[in-house]
Amino acid sequence: ETGVTQSPTHLIKTRGQQVTLRCSSQSGHNTVSWYQQALGQGPQFIFQYYREEENGRGNFPPRFSGLQFPNYSSELNVNALELDDSALYLCASSISSGGTYEQYFGPGTRLTVT
Amino acid sequence: GEDVEQSLFLSVREGDSSVINCTYTDSSSTYLYWYKQEPGAGLQLLTYIFSNMDMKQDQRLTVLLNKKDKHLSLRIADTQTGDSAIYFCADRTGRRALTFGSGTRLQVQP
């Protein structure tokens, strides 16, 4: 069974640029959630995708957007990057059935905005 | 809004038990989770407990839940140096997103 994978591992961007981060779900999982983890903090929920539709969103501006594909992989796009967007971006996959909704996390993409 | 709080740091000696505490505010929490994060890595799911349970044991891990006080704890028996990491508690309410605490850094001294 393949776990959750994310790419790239690290990324450096300049303020105002746009970035796309990618996530492949664990086999059999149909739901993907994205989190932002600033240094020294716990992860903050950005949004969740289920069956290619956004299924919930945290307190993040519209310049954070996403996609889920038919194979359940996902992308996180951030436009007009700001310095405060520097963080570890975590993707988690889960199965939306059965009740426990255990979320399994990938290793993350570390984004640095200069 | 929802809030999850944890103490920042815990230091124990190898072989002792560690107890990491967490409080949450949302009374509609359905599941509560413990995750472990090692330096430079993602989050590893350790265990979870359903809100109608008081206790769950999984090998060296014991989770205690006091729903009245909204208090959750994780006990690690026979703590090893490999247990050194940051531990996050998280709760989930109806929207299926997780709300995380700021994490407790566990340092295990040999």
Side-chain angles (χ1 to χ4, degrees):
Chain A
E1 186 179 89
T2 308
V4 180
T5 60
Q6 293 186 242
S7 62
T9 307
H10 295 89
L11 204 49
I12 300 175
K13 289 285 189 177
T14 304
R15 234 172 74 178
Q17 286 187 315
Q18 178 264 344
V19 69
T20 297
L21 310 182
R22 294 179 174 82
C23 171
S24 290
S25 304
Q26 186 164 314
S27 177
H29 287 187
N30 56 13
T31 301
V32 174
S33 304
W34 286 91
Y35 293 82
Q36 180 196 67
Q37 186 180 19
L39 202 60
Q41 301 295 316
Q44 299 286 317
F45 174 68
I46 303 175
F47 43 56
Q48 183 181 90
Y49 277 82
Y50 170 64
R51 291 186 175 177
E52 303 175 55
E53 298 281 334
E54 190 179 285
N55 187 39
R57 189 179 183 93
N59 190 24
F60 281 81
R63 59 189 185 84
F64 285 77
S65 63
L67 282 174
Q68 187 181 29
F69 300 100
N71 66 355
Y72 304 129
S73 66
S74 177
E75 285 182 355
L76 164 65
N77 299 289
V78 187
N79 294 323
L81 283 166
E82 300 177 1
L83 296 179
D84 283 351
D85 295 334
S86 294
L88 180 68
Y89 288 85
L90 295 162
C91 159
S93 74
S94 54
I95 301 173
S96 284
S97 64
T100 61
Y101 299 103
E102 296 155 57
Q103 295 193 6
Y104 294 90
F105 283 79
T109 294
R110 179 150 314 272
L111 173 65
T112 302
V113 182
T114 61
Chain B
E2 303 165 30
D3 196 19
V4 177
E5 293 193 358
Q6 303 178 237
S7 51
L8 290 179
F9 184 75
L10 176 66
S11 179
V12 300
R13 292 200 177 276
E14 194 172 18
D16 287 350
S17 292
S18 308
V19 179
I20 302 171
N21 294 301
C22 171
T23 58
Y24 61 98
T25 58
D26 195 330
S27 57
S28 62
S29 295
T30 52
Y31 284 90
L32 296 122
Y33 305 82
W34 284 102
Y35 283 86
K36 176 183 179 182
Q37 187 175 38
E38 297 184 78
L43 275 69
Q44 175 193 352
L45 177 62
L46 292 176
T47 187
Y48 63 89
I49 188 167
F50 185 46
S51 58
N52 70 353
M53 296 170 65
D54 298 324
M55 185 181 88
K56 181 178 180 181
Q57 189 151 359
D58 187 356
Q59 300 183 338
R60 290 191 299 125
L61 304 179
T62 303
V63 179
L64 294 178
L65 175 61
N66 181 328
K67 194 173 180 181
K68 175 176 167 290
D69 294 338
K70 300 190 186 70
H71 182 266
L72 181 74
S73 67
L74 174 69
R75 178 177 179 270
I76 306 173
D78 187 25
T79 313
Q80 303 296 307
T81 55
D83 295 323
S84 293
I86 300 176
Y87 290 80
F88 292 94
C89 69
D91 76 343
R92 182 177 73 79
T93 54
R95 68 175 179 166
R96 302 172 188 160
L98 299 180
T99 300
F100 285 85
S102 296
T104 299
R105 181 178 296 277
L106 174 64
Q107 180 182 73
V108 183
Q109 298 178 348

